[in-house]
Amino acid sequence: MDNPVKGNDREVRVFAPAKVNLILKVLDRRPDGYHNLWSLMQTVELEDELQVHLRPNSTELRLYCDDAALPTDGRNLVFRAASLVLERTNQKVGLDIRIAKRIPVSAGLGGGSSDAAATIAGLNRLLGLGWSAGEMARVGQALGSDVPFFFFAPCALVRGRGEEVTPLTLTGERWVVLVHPGFPIETRWAYERLTSTRKAVMPLSTMLSRIAGKKALSWDDVIPLMENDFEEMLGQTHGVLREIKTELLVEGADAALLSGSGATVFGVFRDEASAVRARASVGRASGRRAYAVRSSPQSLRRQESFSAHALRVG
């Protein structure tokens, strides 16, 4: 299909969405030290914005971010993603990358991973690389477990370390209220604690196993199955997460769940009005940040022939 990306030969803008884990099962530990995962992931309309500017007469990579708390050197996934693309393609050009940060950091929403994927997609366009979604996902896999998902979003089943991504159609639309409690949860710590405290790895239920063979699901199919292996453990160490979940359910959420390894808790609502009311109520506690956003709809226009709505490049 035609490529509807807008911009010029020097600059592109990429909108990187947050994700929530509708289901997250942490399975056995792999030989490489990571865990095998089984997750149903969905993007939501809370986005970071990246501007990638090409400077052909330079070889310097400069990263800027409006969140002063984020590093702008090799510790940042965007910097690492850009460096990796240039290294793999033997491109000797300069780049200015600016991030307008909207997704909370270390929140279980995949913001850093989405930004890394957006960087790869933007450079794919800007440098005329012609990489497919699969090729970009393989590059992104070296940066983080969540990165490959964003090339196949808005909804996908993710397995292995994150490299096995099967796109799914999630029919219907829901509004999602994201509530960040005001503190981060470090991913490595969460995995180590989960591994050390749980008695055994629980096998997938028959219902979850059946999802793997489906190409389409409805929200009504998914909501009864929503679960996150981190939720009980983190609820014991961070009681406010349980409180937020209860508050979202009281406000009328069809379901509420921890996303990723925390610390964001989200509720699924049937309409905008109820989501906005819940955001106002649950988000008013000191330190919290709350958002009422749509789940990324199936009608979002395709921005690249490889991508079904994960990243908007314009």
Side-chain angles (χ1 to χ4, degrees):
M1 69 181 284
D2 292 338
N3 189 332
V5 173
K6 297 178 181 178
N8 53 50
D9 59 353
R10 293 292 180 90
E11 184 173 298
V12 293
R13 289 191 307 156
V14 191
F15 297 87
K19 61 80 182 172
V20 292
N21 299 82
L22 301 176
I23 301 169
L24 176 54
K25 301 294 293 181
V26 180
L27 306 177
D28 55 305
R29 188 187 290 271
R30 299 157 53 99
D32 59 12
Y34 291 88
H35 286 81
N36 283 309
L37 305 175
W38 196 104
S39 184
L40 182 64
M41 297 167 67
Q42 168 72 36
T43 53
V44 297
E45 291 189 336
L46 176 64
E47 299 174 322
D48 290 342
E49 179 180 347
L50 282 75
Q51 291 181 309
V52 186
H53 181 78
L54 177 66
R55 291 181 291 111
N57 297 322
S58 172
T59 58
E60 185 181 6
L61 172 56
R62 300 185 299 198
L63 178 62
Y64 308 88
C65 182
D66 61 1
D67 184 343
L70 284 180
T72 53
D73 54 20
R75 294 169 292 171
N76 191 297
L77 277 178
V78 167
F79 192 103
R80 290 166 55 194
S83 299
L84 184 59
V85 171
L86 295 179
E87 177 185 340
R88 291 201 175 194
T89 58
N90 198 30
Q91 299 271 350
K92 301 194 180 299
V93 298
L95 296 171
D96 285 344
I97 305 176
R98 298 182 182 275
I99 308 172
K101 195 68 183 162
R102 304 294 176 262
I103 304 170
V105 177
S106 297
L109 298 175
S113 295
S114 187
D115 291 347
T119 302
I120 296 168
L123 289 176
N124 184 51
R125 164 64 175 166
L126 199 59
L127 300 176
L129 302 178
W131 286 346
S132 67
E135 289 170 315
M136 289 191 290
R138 282 189 287 276
V139 173
Q141 182 185 337
L143 300 165
S145 298
D146 285 343
V147 178
F149 159 75
F150 290 98
F151 298 109
F152 300 96
C155 184
L157 178 62
V158 178
R159 290 172 288 187
R161 185 184 160 186
E163 76 280 7
E164 300 177 39
V165 184
T166 304
L168 295 174
T169 298
L170 185 56
T171 59
E173 181 181 279
R174 291 294 189 275
W175 279 77
V176 177
V177 175
L178 307 168
V179 184
H180 187 265
F183 55 81
I185 291 180
E186 205 275 317
T187 300
R188 182 187 295 271
W189 173 86
Y191 272 91
E192 290 175 351
R193 183 168 178 84
L194 178 65
T195 301
S196 64
T197 57
R198 68 180 177 180
K199 295 179 180 179
V201 176
M202 299 301 294
L204 295 178
S205 68
T206 301
M207 288 299 296
L208 293 186
S209 298
R210 288 174 181 170
I211 289 178
K214 293 182 178 291
K215 295 183 178 180
L217 296 166
S218 71
W219 278 98
D220 289 337
D221 293 329
V222 171
I223 285 173
L225 303 176
M226 287 173 55
E227 62 176 304
N228 183 335
D229 279 356
F230 286 104
E231 190 173 73
E232 181 177 357
M233 180 272 292
L234 290 177
Q236 295 171 358
T237 58
H238 301 75
V240 68
L241 303 180
R242 287 178 170 174
E243 294 173 12
I244 293 172
K245 177 172 181 171
T246 299
E247 291 171 33
L248 287 167
L249 293 171
V250 169
E251 289 295 327
D254 287 341
L257 194 69
L258 182 77
S259 184
S261 57
T264 300
V265 179
F266 68 96
V268 179
F269 292 81
R270 291 187 174 271
D271 56 73
E272 180 181 7
S274 58
V276 169
R277 286 194 299 271
R279 178 196 62 191
S281 176
V282 181
R284 66 189 173 195
S286 177
R288 294 182 186 177
R289 297 167 63 185
Y291 313 83
V293 294
R294 286 187 301 176
S295 62
S296 295
Q298 303 301 323
S299 59
L300 275 179
R301 70 185 178 94
R302 190 181 294 259
Q303 295 294 330
E304 294 274 15
S305 58
F306 59 76
S307 177
H309 335 302
L311 303 164
R312 295 194 297 115
V313 185

